[in-house]
Amino acid sequence: MIARGSCTIRQERLPPRAASLVESLRDLGYSLETAVADIIDNSIAAGASNIDIWCAPDSDPLALAIVDNGRGMAEAELIAAMRPGSTSPAEARARTDLGRFGLGLKTASFSQGRRLTVVSRQNLATCAAIWDLDDLAASDDWLLSVPTEAELADLPWLDRLGETGTLVVWEKLDRLSESVEGSVRSDLISTKLVALDRHLSLVFHRFIDGDLLGRTTGSAKLSIRLNGQKVVSFDPFCRNERATQPLPVEKLVVQGEEIEIRPYILPHHSKLSPVTWRYYKDRSDFLSNQGAYVYRNGRLMAWGDWFRMIPKGEATKLARVQIDFPSALDPLWTIDIKKSRAQPPPAVRERFKRIIERIAGRSVRVHRGRGEQLLDASTSPIWTRSIGREGIIHYAPDFTHPLIEAALDAVPDDKRSLVRNAFSALGAAFPVDSVYADFADDPKRVSLNGSDIDDRAKVIRSLKDILDPDGRLGRERFSKLVLSTGLAGRSLEEIEQLSQPAYNEEKGGT
């Protein structure tokens, strides 16, 4: 009974039906990679330095295991951890604790299979607990199985557990296998494991690289292996590339806690080797993954989003912003159960808005730098760029360019309009959509000039006869003019080198 004013209201105890609730918990939207990442969070919080994930796509029955060398749990601690909602999100957490709602172990596991077994060991003392959703459905009650070590003899990968640590095993993997069998199932699981590797390499890249030593982790880097193969970290900021531009760090204090904002401008593709470019392009699409990368206690929570402050586009695709916040500010960031979404509080949004306006301009300059050089008046561009009504950008051949003027001068007056129309048609019919699509897919494969150096030398010699037959321009100005045509490549140094013989011959003749 509760008293309200002069009335006493009768109360009924109404716990949720176990069978119904647990089936609902299975549909929170976990993928394999977000589910495994949630288990790894627990391993990191337990001080693990080595985490192994095992799953044989061809095995029957199918199972998946995550085993760590963390501090392990005693039986009472394990049973408490198996309770749904074991920890309130309102409770303060240590900086090494990556949990949030006290649901991750259970909801992540149930999302993939119907049987969860956790075995934990401290100094060779072993305890275990099992949630089997089929047993739970039959009893419609929260009855946790607590087996002895002898009763675990047939548990997959139990031999991988060391003297201290925890083993999490998923069985009855109906969601992971999607109810398919044979080679189709094997291919499906293999594809999901590849996606898992890539997800873990990004989400935990700072733990793997040891960036957080002394801050949120212990004294060793984190090692994650998938079926024995080491998961290699993937740094979305390309910090090992010399051409990456780290911008000044900004810090702000919210409710006594510090938030760090670190902007980066990634290198233009011309500054990366073809191998490096394709690696980053394959692992992290540059257009869709621009934006903020939000880290909670060093763990990547959400990425590829400008929080609707600016639109994603080609011009800003090189911009990335690293945002670090502590778990003490969780309520302000609206973290979801899967830890795959985060929205900044108002104080951060205001500061972030000013930052992205600044870095967006830097990204535009890096992305368009080479193109802008070709449109600079000092290099006599062969294309003009104009902005018309409603901001429509128009490109057209420049009929004042010396090369086009020379072509027009070479034809009779009555044919000149025909040549002008031909040039105009080339500009109007330029396949911009196809070039854009090819360039966005892999700019390293797009080339508008010949690759043979002898061919380029011949082009330069013919242009010399047309544009500077008497040598009045001089080699330096002539080379810039050739650069503007694009006919001999995009390297001014190479053009100057290839034009040297023509000007040497001229000097020799005089």
Side-chain angles (χ1 to χ4, degrees):
M1 298 282 186
I2 60 172
R4 179 167 294 173
S6 60
C7 302
T8 301
I9 300 175
R10 182 170 61 90
Q11 292 180 301
E12 292 282 347
R13 186 172 183 275
L14 198 63
R17 289 187 55 195
S20 299
L21 179 58
V22 79
E23 291 299 331
S24 299
L25 292 176
R26 302 195 74 197
D27 294 317
L28 291 175
Y30 281 94
S31 62
L32 172 64
E33 51 265 33
T34 56
V36 172
D38 225 332
I39 306 302
I40 290 177
D41 287 343
N42 295 333
S43 296
I44 293 174
S49 59
N50 293 300
I51 301 171
D52 277 283
I53 304 158
W54 300 97
C55 181
D58 298 324
S59 64
D60 191 14
L62 186 66
L64 184 145
I66 301 121
V67 59
D68 68 49
N69 67 339
R71 66 180 65 93
M73 293 176 281
E75 183 174 273
E77 186 182 0
L78 171 59
I79 292 175
M82 295 293 273
R83 179 196 298 272
S86 56
T87 304
S88 168
E91 292 183 15
R93 291 180 179 270
R95 292 188 179 273
T96 56
D97 192 344
L98 301 181
R100 170 73 174 122
F101 295 95
L103 288 169
L105 169 63
K106 287 72 66 174
T107 54
S109 302
F110 297 161
S111 73
Q112 303 301 308
R114 300 189 64 84
R115 184 180 176 91
L116 162 65
T117 303
V118 180
V119 183
S120 201
R121 189 173 288 163
Q122 285 186 336
N123 301 320
L124 296 178
T126 303
C127 58
I130 300 172
W131 278 122
D132 190 305
L133 300 192
D134 293 327
D135 293 343
L136 188 149
S139 65
D140 200 10
D141 200 357
W142 298 100
L143 298 176
L144 181 71
S145 298
V146 184
T148 64
E149 186 171 3
E151 292 170 327
L152 297 172
D154 296 331
L155 185 68
W157 294 291
L158 181 60
D159 60 325
R160 303 289 180 174
L161 185 60
E163 295 183 0
T164 298
T166 299
L167 168 68
V168 176
V169 180
W170 297 343
E171 297 174 282
K172 299 183 181 180
L173 294 170
D174 57 331
R175 297 288 179 85
L176 178 59
S177 64
E178 299 183 19
S179 301
V180 297
E181 298 295 337
S183 61
V184 176
R185 189 195 75 173
S186 178
D187 292 343
L188 173 67
I189 301 301
S190 296
T191 300
K192 289 185 176 183
L193 292 178
V194 170
L196 172 62
D197 180 283
R198 294 189 171 195
H199 183 80
L200 300 181
S201 72
L202 174 62
V203 168
F204 297 104
H205 74 94
R206 296 172 71 186
F207 292 89
I208 297 171
D209 286 338
D211 289 353
L212 304 166
L213 296 181
R215 295 176 58 186
T216 61
T217 62
S219 59
K221 295 181 179 180
L222 179 66
S223 171
I224 303 175
R225 291 179 295 185
L226 177 56
N227 286 334
Q229 297 297 314
K230 188 174 182 179
V231 174
V232 179
S233 70
F234 177 76
D235 175 16
F237 308 109
C238 304
R239 286 174 296 184
N240 289 331
E241 294 296 323
R242 293 174 58 187
T244 295
Q245 300 178 31
L247 304 184
V249 179
E250 297 207 21
K251 298 182 180 181
L252 64 156
V253 177
V254 177
Q255 296 183 358
E257 298 288 342
E258 188 174 85
I259 298 174
E260 286 188 355
I261 305 176
R262 296 174 178 266
Y264 294 89
I265 304 298
L266 273 59
H268 187 271
H269 73 87
S270 62
K271 301 291 187 180
L272 301 174
S273 69
V275 172
T276 301
W277 165 260
R278 291 188 181 116
Y279 172 74
Y280 275 98
K281 179 67 173 62
D282 178 55
R283 297 293 299 263
S284 175
D285 181 78
F286 274 44
L287 181 60
S288 65
N289 282 342
Q290 63 182 275
Y293 285 67
V294 181
Y295 295 82
R296 172 183 177 268
N297 290 354
R299 193 260 209 210
L300 184 59
M301 304 292 288
W303 62 92
D305 188 6
W306 288 120
F307 306 127
R308 299 184 181 179
M309 295 183 187
I310 60 171
K312 289 183 177 182
E314 277 289 324
T316 56
K317 71 180 184 180
L318 300 180
R320 305 284 189 276
V321 182
Q322 175 183 317
I323 302 178
D324 278 286
F325 76 94
S327 56
L329 297 179
D330 280 352
L332 301 181
W333 285 83
T334 60
I335 305 298
D336 67 349
I337 290 177
K338 304 187 303 297
K339 289 175 279 190
S340 60
R341 186 198 68 214
Q343 289 294 325
V348 177
R349 290 181 67 89
E350 287 301 317
R351 182 73 66 88
F352 188 66
K353 184 177 181 179
R354 294 196 296 269
I355 291 172
I356 61 177
E357 287 173 350
R358 183 175 74 249
I359 66 169
R362 292 284 292 268
S363 178
V364 167
R365 289 195 292 274
V366 171
H367 179 60
R368 295 175 55 195
R370 292 174 68 91
E372 288 178 341
Q373 290 174 11
L374 296 181
L375 296 176
D376 188 283
S378 65
T379 58
S380 300
I382 205 165
W383 288 91
T384 61
R385 178 181 183 269
S386 60
I387 302 178
R389 294 180 180 178
E390 299 181 354
I392 301 300
I393 300 173
H394 177 67
Y395 290 88
D398 182 2
F399 287 98
T400 67
H401 191 281
L403 186 59
I404 296 181
E405 285 186 336
L408 292 172
D409 290 341
V411 298
D413 291 344
D414 60 336
K415 301 294 184 182
R416 190 164 293 182
S417 62
L418 177 62
V419 176
R420 288 182 64 92
N421 288 339
F423 276 114
S424 297
L426 286 173
F430 186 78
V432 62
D433 291 340
S434 296
V435 172
Y436 174 83
D438 290 336
F439 194 86
D441 180 59
D442 189 349
K444 292 294 186 181
R445 296 179 58 197
V446 178
S447 176
L448 299 179
N449 57 275
S451 58
D452 187 271
I453 194 167
D454 291 333
D455 291 341
R456 292 200 293 276
K458 292 177 182 178
V459 168
I460 289 173
R461 185 55 189 260
S462 66
L463 291 175
K464 168 72 170 57
D465 295 338
I466 297 170
L467 300 175
D468 194 21
D470 54 9
R472 293 183 179 180
L473 283 177
R475 184 167 65 94
E476 184 176 341
R477 292 180 61 192
F478 168 74
S479 297
K480 290 182 178 179
L481 193 58
V482 173
L483 177 68
S484 72
T485 71
L487 293 173
R490 298 285 191 255
S491 171
L492 180 60
E493 292 182 359
E494 184 180 81
I495 292 172
E496 289 181 338
Q497 183 178 357
L498 292 175
S499 63
Q500 183 71 50
Y503 281 88
N504 287 342
E505 290 174 9
E506 192 170 83
K507 288 180 180 179
T510 57

